[in-house]
Amino acid sequence: GENVEQHPSTLSVQEGDSAVIKCTYSDSASNYFPWYKQELGKRPQLIIDIRSNVGEKKDQRIAVTLNKTAKHFSLHITETQPEDSAVYFCAASLSGGSYIPTFGRGTSLIVHP
Amino acid sequence: NAGVTQTPKFRILKIGQSMTLQCTQDMNHNYMYWYRQDPGMGLKLIYYSVGAGITDKGEVPNGYNVSRSTTEDFPLRLELAAPSQTSVYFCASSHNAGGEDYGYTFGSGTRLTVV
């Protein structure tokens, strides 16, 4: 089955810096890669996703890149703000089948004012 | 749309008691899921359903049961509660359109304590 490794487990940055979280996956057939943000005590929320036919996707200060050859994808947050502090989860799945994504273990991002 | 609605938000159970966690979605999503999240940990899949009448086990199904009689509802039943079931439970739904899957919409969670 699919295996997703997420790094780092904790990331501490100063406000205004950039943050990068990386995930690697094992199943080359995986073709859908969502990212979720979970603030303390709240539910996870989808913030951005990317499909295997696209190399990069941006939404304001967040972007996701995908390298199918190396089987890794990354979340990039620019100009970080304290409200970006949360746990971020990546996931990988094979779209179109029985959709059960494999989640990474999560990255705790702390943005210091 | 209300999205995914979970009830109750909090519950304290005594060891050996049973309860049902309710989950309803109004987005006509075909896929529904139950996850548990222990403090500081990731999401573990308990059960999932790809449509009404179809359910399957996830990675941690022991001590739980589910049913999916309608597209909207996916209740999770805990029988004979144990302290190890103390956790936050999230229900989620997703859909497939045009052969492509889309990300999860999560409910607000149920914080369960078994004492």
Side-chain angles (χ1 to χ4, degrees):
Chain A
E2 176 65 277
N3 182 49
V4 175
E5 299 282 341
Q6 184 172 347
H7 298 282
S9 57
T10 305
L11 180 58
S12 183
V13 301
Q14 289 296 127
E15 182 177 0
D17 288 349
S18 295
V20 181
I21 303 169
K22 182 177 177 178
C23 289
T24 59
Y25 60 99
S26 59
D27 189 346
S28 57
S30 289
N31 58 9
Y32 179 59
F33 308 94
W35 285 90
Y36 297 86
K37 175 184 181 182
Q38 186 178 26
E39 297 176 7
L40 189 62
K42 301 286 184 63
R43 75 189 82 185
Q45 291 191 296
L46 178 70
I47 56 171
I48 196 167
D49 57 11
I50 192 167
R51 301 185 189 278
S52 60
N53 58 348
V54 175
E56 183 176 4
K57 186 176 179 180
K58 289 183 180 179
D59 183 3
Q60 299 182 340
R61 292 187 299 108
I62 61 173
V64 57
T65 57
L66 172 65
N67 184 325
K68 288 188 293 183
T69 302
K71 289 189 284 187
H72 67 73
F73 56 110
S74 299
L75 178 71
H76 304 254
I77 306 173
T78 59
E79 300 173 22
T80 54
Q81 301 169 3
E83 52 264 39
D84 294 329
S85 296
V87 177
Y88 293 80
F89 293 97
C90 65
S93 68
L94 176 59
S95 185
S98 178
Y99 174 52
I100 305 299
T102 300
F103 283 88
R105 289 178 175 266
T107 296
S108 177
L109 174 64
I110 303 166
V111 181
H112 299 280
Chain B
N1 286 351
V4 178
T5 302
Q6 281 185 244
T7 57
K9 294 190 184 302
F10 304 93
R11 183 72 185 269
I12 298 174
L13 277 183
K14 294 184 178 180
I15 294 172
Q17 288 185 322
S18 300
M19 74 166 294
T20 298
L21 281 66
Q22 301 292 345
C23 177
T24 299
Q25 54 94 6
D26 62 357
M27 298 171 287
N28 201 33
H29 285 177
N30 43 347
Y31 304 133
M32 295 189 76
Y33 317 81
W34 276 104
Y35 285 87
R36 61 176 286 173
Q37 186 176 36
D38 297 332
M41 303 296 284
L43 298 160
K44 293 184 179 179
L45 181 64
I46 305 171
Y47 270 96
Y48 67 98
S49 170
V50 299
I54 305 169
T55 63
D56 210 344
K57 296 178 180 178
E59 59 181 307
V60 290
N62 291 346
Y64 308 94
N65 273 301
V66 293
S67 60
R68 183 99 182 267
S69 56
T70 67
T71 298
E72 295 78 19
D73 299 309
F74 191 41
L76 177 71
R77 178 80 177 164
L78 276 73
E79 304 282 1
L80 300 175
S84 61
Q85 293 179 305
T86 294
S87 191
V88 178
Y89 291 83
F90 288 103
C91 179
S93 71
S94 68
H95 72 289
N96 179 284
E100 292 190 331
D101 291 320
Y102 290 81
Y104 284 359
T105 299
F106 284 88
S108 57
T110 296
R111 189 174 298 273
L112 175 67
T113 303
V114 181
V115 296

